Amino acid sequence: MTPRGTPRGTPAATALRTGAEPEGLTTTFTELEAERRLAGVPLSHVSIELGHLYAEDFERGPAYLRDQFERVRPWVETLRSLYERRHPGLRPRISTCFLIDDYFTRFGEPAEVIGDLTAAAADCDLRIDYLARESGCAVAGEVPLAEIVERRLVPAPPPGTDGSRPPLHEVGWLCNGERSTAASADEAMRRPAPWRPPRENTARQHSIFVDVELWSEPPGGRRLWSCAFLASVWQLLRLGLLRYDGAAVARPVTWEGDLPADWEEVPPILQLNPAARPFSAYRTMSVLAPRFLPVEGAVRTILDQVAVDEEVLRQIADRGSAESIELPPAVVDRIAYVFAGGF
């Protein structure tokens, strides 16, 4: 095979096909893809997120937690039944997870919070297999997960882009189309330019324009990633699509003995059920309160513009094919939601 960048018909290309040494050429050609070592991750069929609660939610007590899990339980049972019907003869591998918001607010001791959570879930015949920290979606150990995803953002330029707006990596805002323009006069004695509304890149008849703040960063301060951006990292982790130098990231850890008193000492993903199916999965479903709908809409806007490693996508697609599971090419189409509440 001719290495990329070697034109066909050149002495180098001819030598690679015939095994001869081209005159005056001593460079050794290798296939970078063959040298790359890309770790695989165990995969369930579906990862179900049983909830994502804030500090104020836990302050409302165990009864509130039980009420939340009661809303979740029917959807977990429905998904399991639906998967069994769609894949007859295939015993579904389903794992559950729960996300703790320890990034914006630190609250309670881990042992107490996790104990209350698992007890409330058990009262509703549910089991939390994995508990994750939202701060672990920013940095997991020594791996800067949020930065990895930020570097893979490839904003879709709207028609007529003129480069007048600073690039994403400077301003921290990402949208799904063309932003509106304010009426202004560029030169004296000229009529103001008319206001132009925003427009979605892939609008159907009418636009649904979304503009997402990915982070805030005060002068001289620490970058604070937005909830929507961290939730995007969270979905990519659950889908098994993140690697760092080819290695898997944020592998679940089973803890033995007493939990640490500080959340920072708790693994980014804590495996609570030793017999759990794998954390990552071909598809995800999140059962959330309706208040999370705007955040998850932003998540889809972000993930639509993340260039996931093609080799990772191919690896997971091949594994799915081996199980007769066809995955949609778009990452967002592997994600499902139920917004349960108000009843």
Side-chain angles (χ1 to χ4, degrees):
M1 180 181 294
T2 304
R4 293 175 183 173
T6 304
R8 294 184 181 274
T10 64
T14 303
L16 287 165
R17 290 195 300 272
T18 63
E21 177 77 13
E23 184 178 354
L25 183 64
T26 58
T27 303
T28 300
F29 288 86
T30 59
E31 282 290 341
L32 295 179
E33 290 82 357
E35 293 179 354
R36 189 179 184 202
R37 297 292 181 266
L38 187 67
V41 295
L43 292 169
S44 290
H45 293 120
V46 186
S47 161
I48 304 178
E49 182 179 3
L50 300 179
H52 176 182
L53 298 182
Y54 297 127
E56 56 267 29
D57 297 318
F58 286 93
E59 291 171 357
R60 298 174 71 171
Y64 178 80
L65 297 179
R66 285 194 296 272
D67 180 66
Q68 297 305 300
F69 284 121
E70 281 291 353
R71 297 172 187 269
V72 169
R73 179 175 59 177
W75 301 106
V76 175
E77 296 170 352
T78 298
L79 177 65
R80 187 181 299 275
S81 174
L82 178 64
Y83 203 92
E84 289 174 345
R85 288 201 305 272
R86 288 190 173 179
H87 301 275
L90 181 65
R91 186 177 180 182
R93 300 190 303 273
I94 296 176
S95 63
T96 62
C97 57
F98 197 98
L99 187 63
I100 291 284
D101 175 20
D102 71 325
Y103 183 74
F104 298 98
T105 308
R106 296 297 172 94
F107 60 94
E109 291 197 358
E112 178 184 0
V113 171
I114 295 172
D116 288 347
L117 265 179
T118 53
D123 287 344
C124 301
D125 296 324
L126 292 172
R127 185 164 188 170
I128 303 172
D129 293 326
Y130 301 94
L131 183 131
R133 299 188 295 111
E134 190 162 10
S135 59
C137 295
V139 179
E142 300 297 323
V143 181
L145 293 181
E147 290 183 10
I148 290 172
V149 176
E150 186 238 329
R151 289 196 295 266
R152 287 196 162 272
L153 286 171
V154 183
T161 298
D162 59 8
S164 60
R165 184 178 177 88
L168 157 73
H169 303 289
E170 291 182 13
V171 298
W173 282 83
L174 180 74
C175 68
N176 65 344
E178 184 178 8
R179 297 175 172 93
S180 63
T181 58
S184 63
D186 297 330
E187 297 178 12
M189 307 302 291
R190 288 188 60 183
R191 282 183 146 185
W195 175 79
R196 187 174 67 239
R199 181 162 182 81
E200 180 187 1
N201 280 344
T202 57
R204 287 192 171 187
Q205 304 299 326
H206 298 86
S207 290
I208 301 175
F209 181 80
V210 180
D211 207 351
V212 185
E213 186 174 19
L214 305 182
W215 67 77
S216 58
E217 193 169 14
R222 179 180 67 92
R223 175 174 290 187
L224 187 69
W225 300 100
S226 71
C227 181
F229 192 73
L230 293 178
S232 302
V233 178
W234 171 235
Q235 288 288 357
L236 291 171
L237 279 173
R238 292 171 63 200
L239 289 168
L241 293 174
L242 291 184
R243 301 290 186 277
Y244 185 60
D245 288 340
V249 298
R251 286 187 177 274
V253 173
T254 302
W255 193 272
E256 295 184 2
D258 295 335
L259 286 168
D262 193 323
W263 281 106
E264 288 186 353
E265 298 177 20
V266 176
I269 301 175
L270 184 64
Q271 183 168 342
L272 301 178
N273 175 13
R277 294 296 194 175
F279 166 74
S280 296
Y282 293 120
R283 295 177 181 269
T284 70
M285 186 179 85
S286 298
V287 187
L288 302 169
R291 62 182 175 176
F292 288 99
L293 199 156
V295 172
E296 297 304 327
V299 167
R300 297 180 71 84
T301 297
I302 294 168
L303 291 180
D304 261 335
Q305 299 178 68
V306 173
V308 178
D309 190 313
E310 290 290 339
E311 289 298 317
V312 176
L313 288 171
R314 187 178 300 112
Q315 181 190 72
I316 291 180
D318 289 346
R319 289 176 58 182
S321 296
E323 294 191 67
S324 299
I325 295 173
E326 185 176 349
L327 293 174
V331 169
V332 293
D333 292 335
R334 304 179 189 185
I335 301 169
Y337 299 96
V338 171
F339 294 100
F343 57 86

